[in-house]
């Protein structure tokens, strides 16, 4: 499923961008063997709704600068959980209470 525009360097750049802007608990899940909707999920936590929205803005800007198509964005208005779909990677930026409740790491862990 990996597209010609997605590579390991981009993954590293996205993670570095999140780290630089103070995202917490950044987790990368390789889900390529358990689903065909994406290869990777990057999950991180923001400190507030504003922080979650700002992190999402930086990710969108970086993706556009790399020439990637953003296939979908959900949750921008509320800023509690923003999902950015780049097809080969889906980025989840969440408030801590949302992250604890939905526990995506457990949901998407391999059996």
């Amino acid at each position: 499923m990996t597209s010609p525009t997605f590579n390991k360097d981009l993954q590293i750049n996205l993670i570095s961008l999140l780290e630089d802007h103070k995202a917490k608990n950044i987790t990368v899940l390789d889900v390529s063997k358990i689903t065909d909707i994406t290869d990777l999920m990057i999950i991180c936590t923001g400190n507030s709704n504003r922080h979650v929205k700002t992190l999402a803005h930086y990710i969108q800007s970086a993706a556009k600068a790399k020439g990637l198509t953003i296939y979908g964005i959900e949750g921008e208005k509320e800023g509690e959980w923003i999902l950015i779909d780049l097809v080969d990677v889906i980025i989840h930026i969440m408030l801590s209470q949302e992250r604890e409740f939905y526990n995506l790491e457990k949901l998407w862990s391999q059996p």
Side-chain angles (χ1 to χ4, degrees):
M1 176 163 217
T2 302
S3 71
T5 56
F6 184 77
N7 58 45
K8 187 75 169 171
D9 289 337
L10 178 60
Q11 174 189 339
I12 292 166
N13 289 341
L14 291 171
I15 292 168
S16 293
L17 180 76
L18 291 167
E19 289 172 339
D20 290 347
H21 293 284
K22 310 292 188 235
K24 306 287 186 216
N25 295 329
I26 300 168
T27 303
V28 179
L29 302 175
D30 180 349
V31 295
S32 61
K33 291 180 175 55
I34 57 175
T35 184
D36 60 357
I37 62 168
T38 192
D39 291 336
L40 294 174
M41 288 191 188
I42 298 174
I43 306 166
C44 68
T45 304
N47 299 324
S48 66
N49 294 64
R50 177 178 274 178
H51 188 218
V52 169
K53 290 177 183 182
T54 300
L55 290 169
H57 172 76
Y58 283 120
I59 291 293
Q60 291 172 60
S61 295
K64 288 178 184 175
K66 295 284 186 185
L68 297 174
T69 301
I70 298 172
Y71 289 88
I73 301 169
E74 297 291 331
E76 277 188 302
K77 183 177 179 184
E78 299 82 10
E80 295 172 357
W81 174 1
I82 298 178
L83 179 147
I84 302 169
D85 184 353
L86 302 174
V87 176
D88 295 326
V89 61
I90 294 177
I91 302 159
H92 299 272
I93 307 168
M94 310 170 87
L95 291 175
S96 60
Q97 62 267 27
E98 300 294 319
R99 188 165 179 180
E100 284 179 35
F101 181 79
Y102 289 101
N103 198 0
L104 296 179
E105 289 90 344
K106 183 177 179 184
L107 179 68
W108 286 102
S109 64
Q110 295 184 5

